[in-house]
Amino acid sequence: MSAASRDRRISTKDISARSADDPIVALTAYTMPMAKLLDPHCDLILVGDSLGMVVYGLDSTLGVTLDMMIAHGQAVMRGASRACVVVDMPFGSYQESREIAFRNAARIMAETGCAAVKLEGGVEMAETVAFLVARGIPVLGHVGLKPQSVHSHGGFRVQGRDEAMAEAIRRDAEAIAAAGAFAVVLEGTVEPLARAIAADLAAPVIGIGATPAAQGQILVSEDILGLYGEFTPKFVKRYADLGAAAAEAIAAYAREVRAHQFPAPEHCFGVVPAKASAKVKTLRNTTAPAKAPAKSPR
């Protein structure tokens, strides 16, 4: 990455110009503190509709609303000053028509200040992607395993195992790239197929459970940090176990409160801690002037 791009916010054009020799680093964020942690290290931060499961405890992403995405997008934008921020369009906000998709995408961008939106779909969504791009809304595509189509997929299953499915994924990726998407997320796809798509596609491929040959990689931050323990996909590498560390800290706090060990005097206002009080008394004793000797009676 050039020094210039480190001094300004990374754009969608910067992302589209990247290659496997200069990989795109991407992670998800839903809050300002997480965005602030990711910003120095990530090229792209996705405000994913995965927040439905990770933050709200939903069974899938289908219950996520436009208002939820906008609220979390605003929070992430407050914490990210360098990375390219993309906000997911939730289920039902873009499939009905390209005009409705534009209206909702424009609202997301206007109210969050993000650089682009992401939507799922292939051949059937290409016309909508082209419609949005032509009207100034950059789009990040998403093909392969599409979480918003989880029921159509029959669950969270690896895609591209048979030739018919593989050909359909190829067509989807090509259609979205041709429609003007600045990059395409390829999820949950068998590696040989994902590798071939990454090599042939005009737009950069950002993999998640796809191939190391992609031009970039994205994961859910809570997965790599050990903060989401409901399940861990095979393609996730856990870089820390902050969930366990947090559980230990919370247990220690609970023990101290129950034992009346917290709060201590040093955590209270208007109270001189015992050690400080003893030090003051010692200081006073050593610095106090000596008493004058008593006069002898005459």
Side-chain angles (χ1 to χ4, degrees):
M1 185 187 303
S2 68
S5 63
R6 292 184 183 279
D7 297 332
R8 60 173 174 79
R9 187 179 289 279
I10 297 169
S11 70
T12 57
K13 287 190 175 182
D14 294 327
I15 299 294
S16 64
R18 300 288 281 277
S19 69
D21 294 329
D22 187 15
I24 301 160
V25 178
L27 284 168
T28 61
Y30 320 117
T31 63
M32 184 279 289
M34 183 64 78
K36 199 167 184 178
L37 289 172
L38 301 185
D39 195 49
H41 310 287
C42 290
D43 306 305
L44 186 150
I45 295 176
L46 174 66
V47 187
D49 59 0
S50 50
L51 63 85
M53 304 167 76
V54 176
V55 177
Y56 291 93
L58 302 177
D59 292 333
S60 71
T61 63
L62 301 182
V64 175
T65 67
L66 195 65
D67 286 341
M68 288 163 66
M69 294 309 306
I70 289 172
H72 287 275
Q74 291 170 338
V76 168
M77 284 297 294
R78 294 185 194 109
S81 60
R82 173 185 163 276
C84 179
V85 176
V86 180
V87 177
D88 254 333
M89 297 193 72
F91 178 73
S93 68
Y94 60 93
Q95 292 93 337
E96 185 175 353
S97 72
R98 59 187 192 177
E99 289 79 15
I100 289 176
F102 174 79
R103 188 176 307 125
N104 289 330
R107 184 184 165 204
I108 289 173
M109 293 192 70
E111 294 187 26
T112 67
C114 69
V117 297
K118 181 172 79 65
L119 55 80
E120 297 180 10
V123 172
E124 78 284 2
M125 294 307 304
E127 184 180 344
T128 296
V129 171
F131 188 84
L132 296 180
V133 171
R135 285 155 182 77
I137 296 180
V139 175
L140 175 63
H142 187 146
V143 301
L145 174 62
K146 302 182 289 291
Q148 291 180 8
S149 302
V150 61
H151 296 306
S152 299
H153 290 315
F156 293 96
R157 297 182 176 180
V158 177
Q159 303 295 297
R161 290 192 183 279
D162 62 73
E163 187 53 40
M165 185 184 294
E167 184 56 33
I169 294 173
R170 285 192 195 95
R171 289 197 303 268
D172 283 344
E174 290 169 358
I176 294 302
F182 69 89
V184 177
V185 172
L186 179 59
E187 180 173 358
T189 303
V190 292
E191 201 280 334
L193 173 61
R195 180 176 291 267
I197 292 173
D200 296 339
L201 205 67
V205 169
I206 301 175
I208 174 169
T211 175
Q215 288 82 4
Q217 302 293 333
I218 186 168
L219 286 173
V220 172
S221 294
E222 282 73 7
D223 283 342
I224 72 168
L225 297 175
L227 291 171
Y228 182 70
E230 298 303 310
F231 67 92
T232 303
K234 177 183 178 179
F235 55 77
V236 169
K237 178 177 179 180
R238 184 163 288 182
Y239 288 82
D241 195 1
L242 301 187
E248 290 177 6
I250 293 164
Y253 165 75
R255 286 194 302 270
E256 290 194 4
V257 169
R258 292 189 177 107
H260 300 284
Q261 294 173 343
F262 179 85
E266 61 265 29
H267 305 120
C268 300
F269 298 101
V271 177
V272 179
K275 289 182 180 180
S277 179
K279 187 176 180 181
V280 169
K281 288 181 180 178
T282 301
L283 187 63
R284 285 175 178 170
N285 291 337
T286 57
T287 58
K291 292 182 178 179
K295 295 181 178 179
S296 60
R298 291 190 178 184

